[in-house]
Amino acid sequence: MSISLNNVFGVHEAALRLRAQRTELLGSNLANADTPNYKARDIDFQSAMKEAMAGQSTATLKTTQPGHIGGSTDPAAMDYVKFRVPTQPSLDGNTVETEVEQAAFARNAIEYQATLNFLEGKGKSIINALKGES
Amino acid sequence: MGMFNVFNVSGSAMNAQSIRLNTIASNLANADSVSGSPDQVYKAKTPEFETMLQQESSNSVGVKVKQILESNANPVIRHEPNNPLADAQGNVYTPNINSVEEMANMMSASRSYQNNVEVFNTSKQLLMRTINLGR
């Protein structure tokens, strides 16, 4: 059995990156809770994860020559960032519902910490394996 | 890069909300200031917020105050001939500030500010845990 150090962390590496991105998005939503015409956004986690697990976004271009320019892998350009559908739109065109965002933010923070715990566990087990201790 | 942008975003929002709190304080403080002509009377101020698009990634969008709008509500005219500021008709003018409205606005601003502090703190904790990963 061989251990490849490249995918020790498995899904958790991609998950952590997505959770961090989601923290950023939800933070922006809460920051713009009073901005007229701001539209709340969120990540469609399932499709984002699927995309991350497939390795590369389907839109990525192949580079076969040193002069080639690859397709966009900019996370901001990815299509799993979606606008939120508000339950009760407000008159000023803002679609942030503070309570919904707060709940999503809290949940995301916990999920982020869970991912961190998984990563930490993986790291510890690798270190144990290297040391050869029980 | 990464989650560090949250600090800029929350920071900008806290800044915008504190400007809003400042204008409310100014409005409440000047609610009773009397003036001798309708042009010189204090006008209620409200900030107008706008999103601030960051160049590198469109994931995080902060807030900035676009401009401070002045209310164009007519001043309240009071007939006080004994007031030294009174004009020829014996009228003085006070700004048309609704203090109940201002107080409600203040509550909203302070709640929004608190929200952003919460986002800031949580993000900080998450980042600190990430930095200390594997220790």
Side-chain angles (χ1 to χ4, degrees), chain A residues 31-37, chain B residues 12-21 46-52 63-69 109 112:
Chain A
N32 284 286
D34 294 320
T35 313
N37 291 319
Chain B
S12 72
M14 284 192 269
N15 185 36
Q17 296 295 348
S18 75
I19 289 175
R20 186 171 163 207
L21 279 172
T46 33
E48 191 191 345
F49 289 171
E50 191 187 44
T51 53
M52 183 165 65
V63 197
K64 67 175 178 195
V65 176
K66 192 183 177 191
Q67 56 179 336
I68 307 276
L69 298 169
S112 297

Short mmCIF file of all heavy atoms in Angstrom, two decimals, chain A residues 31-37, chain B residues 12-21 46-52 63-69 109 112:
data_model
loop_
_atom_site.label_atom_id
_atom_site.label_comp_id
_atom_site.label_asym_id
_atom_site.label_seq_id
_atom_site.Cartn_x
_atom_site.Cartn_y
_atom_site.Cartn_z
N ALA A 31 -22.37 42.66 5.76
CA ALA A 31 -21.82 44.02 5.71
C ALA A 31 -22.72 44.93 4.89
O ALA A 31 -22.86 46.12 5.18
CB ALA A 31 -20.42 44.01 5.12
N ASN A 32 -23.38 44.37 3.88
CA ASN A 32 -24.20 45.19 2.98
C ASN A 32 -25.69 45.10 3.33
O ASN A 32 -26.53 45.33 2.46
CB ASN A 32 -23.99 44.75 1.54
CG ASN A 32 -22.67 45.26 1.01
OD1 ASN A 32 -22.54 46.43 0.72
ND2 ASN A 32 -21.69 44.38 0.91
N ALA A 33 -25.99 44.78 4.60
CA ALA A 33 -27.39 44.61 4.99
C ALA A 33 -28.20 45.90 4.81
O ALA A 33 -29.42 45.84 4.70
CB ALA A 33 -27.47 44.14 6.43
N ASP A 34 -27.52 47.06 4.80
CA ASP A 34 -28.25 48.33 4.69
C ASP A 34 -27.95 49.06 3.38
O ASP A 34 -28.26 50.24 3.26
CB ASP A 34 -27.88 49.25 5.85
CG ASP A 34 -28.35 48.70 7.18
OD1 ASP A 34 -29.46 48.17 7.21
OD2 ASP A 34 -27.60 48.78 8.17
N THR A 35 -27.33 48.37 2.42
CA THR A 35 -26.97 49.03 1.17
C THR A 35 -28.10 48.87 0.16
O THR A 35 -28.46 47.74 -0.16
CB THR A 35 -25.70 48.42 0.59
OG1 THR A 35 -24.74 48.30 1.62
CG2 THR A 35 -25.14 49.26 -0.52
N PRO A 36 -28.65 49.96 -0.35
CA PRO A 36 -29.73 49.83 -1.34
C PRO A 36 -29.26 49.08 -2.58
O PRO A 36 -28.11 49.23 -3.01
CB PRO A 36 -30.07 51.28 -1.70
CG PRO A 36 -29.50 52.10 -0.61
CD PRO A 36 -28.35 51.35 -0.05
N ASN A 37 -30.13 48.25 -3.12
CA ASN A 37 -29.90 47.49 -4.36
C ASN A 37 -28.84 46.41 -4.28
O ASN A 37 -28.45 45.87 -5.30
CB ASN A 37 -29.57 48.42 -5.53
CG ASN A 37 -30.76 49.24 -5.92
OD1 ASN A 37 -31.87 48.73 -5.95
ND2 ASN A 37 -30.55 50.52 -6.17
N SER B 12 -15.07 47.94 6.64
CA SER B 12 -15.71 49.01 5.87
C SER B 12 -17.15 49.19 6.32
O SER B 12 -17.64 50.32 6.40
CB SER B 12 -15.64 48.71 4.38
OG SER B 12 -16.50 47.66 4.04
N ALA B 13 -17.82 48.06 6.63
CA ALA B 13 -19.21 48.16 7.08
C ALA B 13 -19.29 48.86 8.43
O ALA B 13 -20.18 49.69 8.66
CB ALA B 13 -19.84 46.78 7.16
N MET B 14 -18.35 48.53 9.33
CA MET B 14 -18.36 49.19 10.65
C MET B 14 -18.12 50.69 10.48
O MET B 14 -18.75 51.50 11.15
CB MET B 14 -17.31 48.57 11.55
CG MET B 14 -17.72 47.22 12.08
SD MET B 14 -16.66 46.66 13.39
CE MET B 14 -15.46 45.76 12.48
N ASN B 15 -17.23 51.03 9.58
CA ASN B 15 -16.95 52.44 9.31
C ASN B 15 -18.21 53.14 8.80
O ASN B 15 -18.58 54.21 9.29
CB ASN B 15 -15.82 52.53 8.29
CG ASN B 15 -15.39 53.95 8.04
OD1 ASN B 15 -15.39 54.75 8.94
ND2 ASN B 15 -15.07 54.24 6.79
N ALA B 16 -18.89 52.51 7.84
CA ALA B 16 -20.10 53.11 7.26
C ALA B 16 -21.17 53.27 8.33
O ALA B 16 -21.83 54.32 8.41
CB ALA B 16 -20.61 52.25 6.12
N GLN B 17 -21.33 52.23 9.17
CA GLN B 17 -22.36 52.33 10.20
C GLN B 17 -22.01 53.39 11.24
O GLN B 17 -22.91 54.04 11.79
CB GLN B 17 -22.55 50.97 10.90
CG GLN B 17 -23.08 49.87 10.01
CD GLN B 17 -24.48 50.10 9.48
OE1 GLN B 17 -25.19 50.99 9.94
NE2 GLN B 17 -24.88 49.30 8.51
N SER B 18 -20.72 53.57 11.51
CA SER B 18 -20.38 54.60 12.50
C SER B 18 -20.59 55.99 11.93
O SER B 18 -20.96 56.91 12.66
CB SER B 18 -18.98 54.39 13.06
OG SER B 18 -18.03 54.78 12.13
N ILE B 19 -20.41 56.13 10.61
CA ILE B 19 -20.75 57.43 9.99
C ILE B 19 -22.24 57.68 10.13
O ILE B 19 -22.68 58.79 10.43
CB ILE B 19 -20.31 57.43 8.51
CG1 ILE B 19 -18.79 57.49 8.42
CG2 ILE B 19 -20.92 58.61 7.76
CD1 ILE B 19 -18.25 57.39 7.04
N ARG B 20 -23.03 56.59 9.93
CA ARG B 20 -24.48 56.72 10.07
C ARG B 20 -24.84 57.13 11.50
O ARG B 20 -25.67 58.03 11.71
CB ARG B 20 -25.11 55.37 9.72
CG ARG B 20 -26.61 55.37 9.68
CD ARG B 20 -27.09 54.06 9.11
NE ARG B 20 -28.48 53.81 9.38
CZ ARG B 20 -29.00 52.58 9.47
NH1 ARG B 20 -28.23 51.53 9.31
NH2 ARG B 20 -30.27 52.42 9.69
N LEU B 21 -24.17 56.50 12.49
CA LEU B 21 -24.42 56.86 13.89
C LEU B 21 -24.05 58.31 14.16
O LEU B 21 -24.75 59.01 14.89
CB LEU B 21 -23.63 55.94 14.82
CG LEU B 21 -24.24 54.57 15.10
CD1 LEU B 21 -23.26 53.70 15.85
CD2 LEU B 21 -25.52 54.71 15.91
N THR B 46 -28.56 62.30 6.24
CA THR B 46 -28.56 60.83 6.20
C THR B 46 -27.51 60.38 5.19
O THR B 46 -27.44 60.92 4.09
CB THR B 46 -29.91 60.25 5.75
OG1 THR B 46 -30.50 61.14 4.82
CG2 THR B 46 -30.84 59.98 6.90
N PRO B 47 -26.70 59.38 5.57
CA PRO B 47 -25.70 58.89 4.61
C PRO B 47 -26.36 57.94 3.61
O PRO B 47 -27.34 57.26 3.93
CB PRO B 47 -24.72 58.13 5.50
CG PRO B 47 -25.50 57.71 6.67
CD PRO B 47 -26.59 58.70 6.87
N GLU B 48 -25.81 57.91 2.40
CA GLU B 48 -26.29 56.95 1.41
C GLU B 48 -25.19 55.92 1.20
O GLU B 48 -24.06 56.27 0.86
CB GLU B 48 -26.62 57.68 0.09
CG GLU B 48 -27.36 56.79 -0.87
CD GLU B 48 -27.47 57.38 -2.27
OE1 GLU B 48 -27.22 58.59 -2.44
OE2 GLU B 48 -27.78 56.60 -3.18
N PHE B 49 -25.55 54.65 1.39
CA PHE B 49 -24.56 53.58 1.29
C PHE B 49 -24.46 53.08 -0.15
O PHE B 49 -25.42 53.14 -0.91
CB PHE B 49 -24.92 52.40 2.19
CG PHE B 49 -24.76 52.68 3.65
CD1 PHE B 49 -25.23 51.79 4.60
CD2 PHE B 49 -24.15 53.84 4.08
CE1 PHE B 49 -25.08 52.04 5.94
CE2 PHE B 49 -24.00 54.12 5.42
CZ PHE B 49 -24.48 53.21 6.36
N GLU B 50 -23.28 52.56 -0.46
CA GLU B 50 -23.04 52.01 -1.78
C GLU B 50 -22.06 50.85 -1.64
O GLU B 50 -21.18 50.89 -0.78
CB GLU B 50 -22.43 53.10 -2.65
CG GLU B 50 -22.36 52.76 -4.12
CD GLU B 50 -21.59 53.81 -4.89
OE1 GLU B 50 -20.53 54.27 -4.42
OE2 GLU B 50 -22.06 54.19 -5.96
N THR B 51 -22.20 49.81 -2.48
CA THR B 51 -21.24 48.71 -2.39
C THR B 51 -19.93 49.13 -3.04
O THR B 51 -19.91 49.92 -3.97
CB THR B 51 -21.74 47.44 -3.09
OG1 THR B 51 -22.12 47.77 -4.40
CG2 THR B 51 -22.90 46.82 -2.37
N MET B 52 -18.86 48.54 -2.52
CA MET B 52 -17.52 48.89 -2.97
C MET B 52 -16.95 47.62 -3.60
O MET B 52 -16.69 46.66 -2.90
CB MET B 52 -16.72 49.30 -1.74
CG MET B 52 -15.35 49.77 -1.94
SD MET B 52 -14.82 50.58 -0.42
CE MET B 52 -14.83 49.26 0.76
N VAL B 63 -18.61 48.14 1.97
CA VAL B 63 -19.58 49.22 1.88
C VAL B 63 -18.85 50.54 1.99
O VAL B 63 -17.86 50.64 2.70
CB VAL B 63 -20.60 49.16 3.05
CG1 VAL B 63 -21.82 49.99 2.73
CG2 VAL B 63 -20.99 47.76 3.37
N LYS B 64 -19.33 51.53 1.29
CA LYS B 64 -18.80 52.87 1.53
C LYS B 64 -19.95 53.85 1.54
O LYS B 64 -21.04 53.55 1.03
CB LYS B 64 -17.77 53.24 0.47
CG LYS B 64 -18.33 53.39 -0.91
CD LYS B 64 -17.27 53.87 -1.86
CE LYS B 64 -17.82 53.98 -3.26
NZ LYS B 64 -16.82 54.09 -4.28
N VAL B 65 -19.70 55.00 2.13
CA VAL B 65 -20.73 56.04 2.13
C VAL B 65 -20.56 56.84 0.86
O VAL B 65 -19.51 57.44 0.63
CB VAL B 65 -20.59 56.91 3.39
CG1 VAL B 65 -21.59 58.05 3.34
CG2 VAL B 65 -20.83 56.08 4.63
N LYS B 66 -21.57 56.81 0.01
CA LYS B 66 -21.49 57.50 -1.28
C LYS B 66 -21.56 59.01 -1.07
O LYS B 66 -20.76 59.76 -1.57
CB LYS B 66 -22.64 57.02 -2.15
CG LYS B 66 -22.55 57.41 -3.59
CD LYS B 66 -23.81 56.91 -4.30
CE LYS B 66 -23.87 57.33 -5.75
NZ LYS B 66 -25.22 57.06 -6.29
N GLN B 67 -22.55 59.41 -0.32
CA GLN B 67 -22.71 60.84 -0.04
C GLN B 67 -23.60 61.01 1.18
O GLN B 67 -24.28 60.08 1.60
CB GLN B 67 -23.34 61.54 -1.24
CG GLN B 67 -24.66 60.92 -1.65
CD GLN B 67 -25.29 61.63 -2.82
OE1 GLN B 67 -25.00 62.78 -3.05
NE2 GLN B 67 -26.14 60.94 -3.56
N ILE B 68 -23.55 62.22 1.73
CA ILE B 68 -24.43 62.54 2.85
C ILE B 68 -25.57 63.37 2.28
O ILE B 68 -25.35 64.46 1.72
CB ILE B 68 -23.69 63.33 3.94
CG1 ILE B 68 -22.41 62.63 4.38
CG2 ILE B 68 -24.61 63.60 5.13
CD1 ILE B 68 -22.55 61.57 5.40
N LEU B 69 -26.78 62.86 2.39
CA LEU B 69 -27.93 63.58 1.84
C LEU B 69 -28.49 64.50 2.91
O LEU B 69 -28.51 64.16 4.09
CB LEU B 69 -29.00 62.59 1.41
CG LEU B 69 -28.62 61.60 0.31
CD1 LEU B 69 -29.68 60.53 0.19
CD2 LEU B 69 -28.46 62.34 -1.00
N ALA B 109 -28.80 51.11 13.19
CA ALA B 109 -27.36 51.26 12.90
C ALA B 109 -26.52 50.50 13.92
O ALA B 109 -25.56 49.83 13.55
CB ALA B 109 -26.99 52.74 12.90
N SER B 112 -26.65 46.77 13.27
CA SER B 112 -25.84 46.41 12.11
C SER B 112 -24.36 46.41 12.47
O SER B 112 -23.61 45.54 12.04
CB SER B 112 -26.08 47.38 10.96
OG SER B 112 -27.40 47.32 10.55
#
